[in-house]
Amino acid sequence: MMEQIYLTIALAPLVGAIFAGFFGSLLGRMATTVITIAGVLISTVLSFYVFNHHVLEGGEVFNQNLYTWMQIGELNVSVGFLIDNLTAIMLVVVSFVSLMVHIYTIGYMHDDAGYTKFFSYISLFTFSMFMLVMSNNFMQLFFGWEAVGLVSYLLIGFWHHKESAVEANLKAFLVNRVGDFGFLLGIALVLMYFGSLDYVEVFASLGNVTGVTMLDGISVITVICILLFIGAMGKSAQVPLHVWLPGSMEGPTPISALIHAATMVTAGIFMVSRMSPMFELSETALIVVMVVGAITALFMGLLGIVQNDIKKVVAYSTLSQLGYMTVALGVSAYSVAIFHLMTHAFFKALLFLAAGSVIVALHHKQDIREMGGLRKKMPITYWTSLVGTLALIGFPGFAGFYSKDMIIEAVHFSQLPFSDWVYVAVVIGVFITAFYSLRMFFLVFHGESRMDEHTASHVKESSISITLPLVALAIPSALIGYLTIDPMLFNGWLDNAITVAANHTSMASLEANFHGANGMIPHALQTLPFWMMVGGIASAWVLTLYRSQWADWIQKKFHRSNYVLESLYGFDRFNDIVFVGGIKKLGNFLWKVSDSGLIDKILVNGSARFVGFIASMVRPIQTGYVYHYAFFMIVSLLIILTWVLFAGDNPLLEL
């Protein structure tokens, strides 16, 4: 029975995507909407059932191959499912957020000509993510990995009449291919050294590879883990493979929420957590993961300060929060990373959908400097945005508070090299997050209206298809952290999916100092991160509402720093000059040397000239007279006979 349930969860969105994609124009908008939402709804309901069975009731882990794709010697490549507590939690998060996005799409894409196509794409996106999280082998994992990348390309460039959207989806596609190349090399090394692609078989054989080295003494496990993490850097947008994520804002807002909250960007975090038995054997790999995450958390958060596009502010907050998750992975706090992934999925989807609600109300204006005073006109959007914002900044009691506080504490207890510096980075990040989040919130909803009269006169609360998902996501954004922190981190929810080495003591120290969800709130009031958050809130209020002219003075005073931030640290410029420009120059060189010089001039034209030369030599003997041809035949025969007689092994010459 359970096998059929797992299959239904995976295939229900695919069926909806097929119907919407191939028959959407025939079925019409209403039927397409019903079919696709019904598919995701079925998956959501069954995902909660699976969560109850595996997590709450302690059901046995399901690991079974369903279909053999190919058999090469002893290598069996199959389609199979691994359903443990980690998978069950991911299924609930992905399906619920996807369902909310599907419902939200009804109102947001109502007037779009590609309505049915969009529903097909987001359902296909959901199916791809399900295949990724449910896989029990590296090959299926890679299939889901590439599938989410492909569909993200279609969705980011959905409005393909916009040149900026085409550039954004191309950037996303190419940058992810860089990460995926490393990921594929890691999988190849797994197959090379373990002889299998099945998770369980590989993890069981780790002892056979421990101590094996390559590349002048580097541990095989270290190389594999770093290569796999490069794939995660692409999908989960870690520096320097982060450049695609802000550009993904060119897609419609519903897909921004789906990409940034529960699907594509969480794939890397999930993958590293799934591979915890491997990463725990390489301290070097863990240090790399931790440092990369800290750099992303701090420096991408700084970029959020100078953004004025409402969606890009939220996008850079995603980059920063993904950095926090990656830091947690690096200090072996995998359960904390998944915990933050879950809380972040709810409040980040909420913030994106709230931003979309504002964009729809303002007729697709996205500059927060041209908003203001929306609190009274859009009360549902306002209060749900407030919940999402407080969860994002880690305000005590909200979901993000519990997960982010645990990450910071885990870093504090870590014994890894550079963990002290990482701790400083994540604490500073708390101030930055609070500042840019409340800056956006105040500029959008508070103060005097900065909209033109025509826009201001038409502003109203969004339709129920938009506000209903906001309310539904606001509830877990407020409560899910309080309800799940204890069982998820310390009471075994993830024990059957995650491995932590005995010498990595962050989680043990966290448990020893944990005094319950209720006890965290009064304790937080005495900690540095809390007061950094308060400082960020106060700074945002002063510079946006109380003394907004001070912000202009600071911007002019520190214009060089502002230039660095507005230029996004020069990553795009560097990529354009070095990689794009370099590839263009290389292509031009190869065109001139290889195509034009070698192929055209030598092979094609050269062969033609050679044939012409031979023809010119032979042409004079083609007279048309029979006696001329007979003469040449006799001469040729004499030459052949002379060669045979004197050059060959002729016994007559030996006499």
Side-chain angles (χ1 to χ4, degrees):
M1 175 183 175
M2 295 304 298
E3 182 179 326
Q4 283 72 34
I5 290 175
Y6 304 141
L7 279 170
T8 305
I9 291 173
L11 296 179
L14 178 62
V15 172
I18 292 172
F19 272 97
F22 289 102
F23 311 109
S25 57
L26 297 174
L27 295 170
R29 290 193 169 200
M30 180 61 71
T32 299
T33 304
V34 171
I35 292 171
T36 50
I37 291 179
V40 179
L41 179 61
I42 291 170
S43 295
T44 304
V45 172
L46 293 178
S47 294
F48 275 98
Y49 177 82
V50 170
F51 176 83
N52 179 73
H53 174 73
H54 284 279
V55 180
L56 301 182
E57 296 181 354
E60 292 185 1
V61 174
F62 179 89
N63 183 22
Q64 186 174 318
N65 292 330
L66 306 177
Y67 171 76
T68 299
W69 182 40
M70 62 179 178
Q71 184 84 34
I72 305 174
E74 296 182 357
L75 175 63
N76 181 47
V77 181
S78 301
V79 176
F81 291 157
L82 171 60
I83 312 297
D84 55 11
N85 289 8
L86 175 59
T87 306
I89 292 169
M90 290 296 298
L91 287 176
V92 168
V93 173
V94 173
S95 61
F96 181 76
V97 173
S98 178
L99 178 62
M100 294 301 105
V101 169
H102 275 71
I103 296 171
Y104 182 92
T105 300
I106 298 171
Y108 192 89
M109 300 293 290
H110 183 266
D111 298 324
D112 197 283
Y115 182 90
T116 57
K117 182 172 67 174
F118 189 81
F119 268 101
S120 175
Y121 287 172
I122 58 177
S123 291
L124 186 61
F125 203 28
T126 306
F127 160 75
S128 302
M129 193 63 189
F130 282 158
M131 293 302 294
L132 191 155
V133 301
M134 297 172 74
S135 63
N136 71 345
N137 62 83
F138 284 92
M139 185 60 71
Q140 189 177 329
L141 174 69
F142 188 72
F143 165 78
W145 196 268
E146 292 300 307
V148 295
L150 172 63
V151 185
S152 70
Y153 172 83
L154 299 174
L155 286 164
I156 295 169
F158 185 78
W159 288 326
H160 49 78
H161 56 275
K162 295 167 57 180
E163 187 176 348
S164 57
V166 175
E167 292 177 355
N169 74 347
L170 185 60
K171 180 190 284 188
F173 187 81
L174 293 176
V175 172
N176 271 279
R177 297 295 73 72
V178 174
D180 293 352
F181 181 67
F183 188 59
L184 189 59
L185 288 177
I187 294 174
L189 285 180
V190 168
L191 179 59
M192 177 179 175
Y193 283 95
F194 294 93
S196 175
L197 293 174
D198 185 86
Y199 293 161
V200 175
E201 293 180 7
V202 170
F203 296 158
S205 307
L206 286 172
N208 301 331
V209 183
T210 305
V212 179
T213 60
M214 61 182 295
L215 301 175
D216 297 327
I218 303 176
S219 168
V220 167
I221 292 294
T222 297
V223 176
I224 291 174
C225 289
I226 290 176
L227 287 172
L228 293 176
F229 179 63
I230 290 173
M233 288 170 64
K235 279 289 182 288
S236 294
Q238 300 296 291
V239 174
L241 300 181
H242 68 283
V243 294
W244 68 270
L245 194 68
S248 66
M249 297 299 99
E250 292 294 336
T253 299
I255 197 53
S256 299
L258 201 53
I259 288 177
H260 287 242
T263 52
M264 189 167 170
V265 296
T266 63
I269 309 299
F270 166 80
M271 184 273 293
V272 175
S273 299
R274 176 64 78 197
M275 302 301 144
S276 60
M278 300 177 71
F279 278 83
E280 286 300 285
L281 298 176
S282 174
E283 187 167 292
T284 303
L286 290 175
I287 293 171
V288 170
V289 172
M290 179 185 66
V291 172
V292 169
I295 293 170
T296 305
L298 177 60
F299 290 98
M300 294 301 105
L302 286 170
L303 295 182
I305 296 173
V306 299
Q307 301 300 315
N308 295 309
D309 185 304
I310 187 172
K311 287 175 66 177
K312 285 194 174 181
V313 176
V314 186
Y316 279 104
S317 77
T318 299
L319 282 170
S320 182
Q321 297 307 305
L322 287 168
Y324 276 90
M325 298 177 208
T326 305
V327 166
L329 296 173
V331 298
S332 299
Y334 303 99
S335 56
V336 180
I338 296 298
F339 184 42
H340 194 53
L341 182 156
M342 178 185 67
T343 61
H344 175 265
F346 294 123
F347 66 70
K348 187 52 56 72
L350 171 59
L351 286 172
F352 266 113
L353 298 186
S357 177
V358 172
I359 292 169
V360 169
L362 301 185
H363 305 289
H364 293 275
K365 290 185 177 180
Q366 297 183 200
D367 194 327
I368 58 177
R369 295 169 298 182
E370 299 177 3
M371 300 179 187
L374 294 177
R375 177 170 62 91
K376 294 182 179 179
K377 295 185 177 183
M378 304 182 70
I380 299 176
T381 303
Y382 171 78
W383 287 108
T384 52
S385 294
L386 179 61
V387 172
T389 302
L390 293 177
L392 170 61
I393 67 175
F395 194 86
F398 289 83
F401 160 74
Y402 294 99
S403 55
K404 187 183 288 187
D405 197 67
M406 286 291 103
I407 291 174
I408 296 171
E409 288 297 304
V411 176
H412 176 68
F413 291 126
S414 176
Q415 302 299 316
L416 288 179
F418 310 110
S419 60
D420 293 342
W421 291 103
V422 171
Y423 179 76
V424 172
V426 294
V427 170
I428 295 173
V430 174
F431 172 88
I432 296 168
T433 302
F435 179 79
Y436 67 67
S437 300
L438 270 297
R439 171 180 174 266
M440 180 186 71
F441 184 79
F442 290 145
L443 286 176
V444 173
F445 294 104
H446 289 269
E448 298 295 326
S449 174
R450 296 176 298 279
M451 298 173 285
D452 59 83
E453 292 185 4
H454 176 73
T455 302
S457 63
H458 289 82
V459 173
K460 61 179 181 179
E461 186 61 90
S462 302
S463 63
I464 189 169
S465 64
I466 291 177
T467 55
L468 179 63
L470 296 182
V471 175
L473 287 166
I475 296 170
S477 298
L479 302 176
I480 197 70
Y482 175 84
L483 295 174
T484 61
I485 181 171
D486 190 26
M488 184 169 284
L489 301 191
F490 309 116
N491 281 332
W493 273 14
L494 294 173
D495 286 354
N496 64 3
I498 287 172
T499 300
V500 180
N503 60 321
H504 297 150
T505 59
S506 288
M507 287 303 299
S509 299
L510 275 180
E511 186 172 6
N513 290 272
F514 182 69
H515 301 293
N518 290 322
M520 288 184 64
I521 297 176
H523 177 263
L525 305 181
Q526 309 168 37
T527 61
L528 179 59
F530 172 79
W531 292 106
M532 294 290 284
M533 179 200 65
V534 172
I537 296 172
S539 301
W541 177 77
V542 170
L543 295 177
T544 56
L545 299 179
Y546 183 65
R547 291 288 187 269
S548 58
Q549 65 272 21
W550 291 3
D552 298 329
W553 179 85
I554 293 172
Q555 188 174 8
K556 292 177 182 178
K557 184 71 174 177
F558 299 95
H559 62 277
R560 289 187 177 87
S561 300
N562 187 70
Y563 173 77
V564 172
L565 295 176
E566 288 187 341
S567 64
L568 310 178
Y569 304 120
F571 277 104
D572 285 335
R573 183 170 174 79
F574 177 82
N575 291 336
D576 286 341
I577 294 173
V578 176
F579 294 110
V580 178
I583 290 172
K584 284 183 177 179
K585 289 180 179 179
L586 177 63
N588 192 52
F589 172 77
L590 292 175
W591 166 68
K592 289 183 177 179
V593 174
S594 177
D595 191 56
S596 183
L598 179 62
I599 298 174
D600 286 347
K601 289 184 179 180
I602 297 178
L603 295 180
V604 178
N605 296 335
S607 60
R609 285 194 294 269
F610 179 73
V611 170
F613 172 75
I614 297 297
S616 67
M617 298 294 292
V618 176
R619 192 178 296 115
I621 68 175
Q622 302 295 327
T623 62
Y625 295 110
V626 175
Y627 58 86
H628 284 170
Y629 298 151
F631 173 76
F632 284 114
M633 290 173 64
I634 294 169
V635 171
S636 300
L637 183 61
L638 288 173
I639 293 171
I640 294 170
L641 290 173
T642 302
W643 173 263
V644 172
L645 183 64
F646 291 98
D649 297 330
N650 195 326
L652 296 176
L653 297 178
E654 299 177 356
L655 299 176

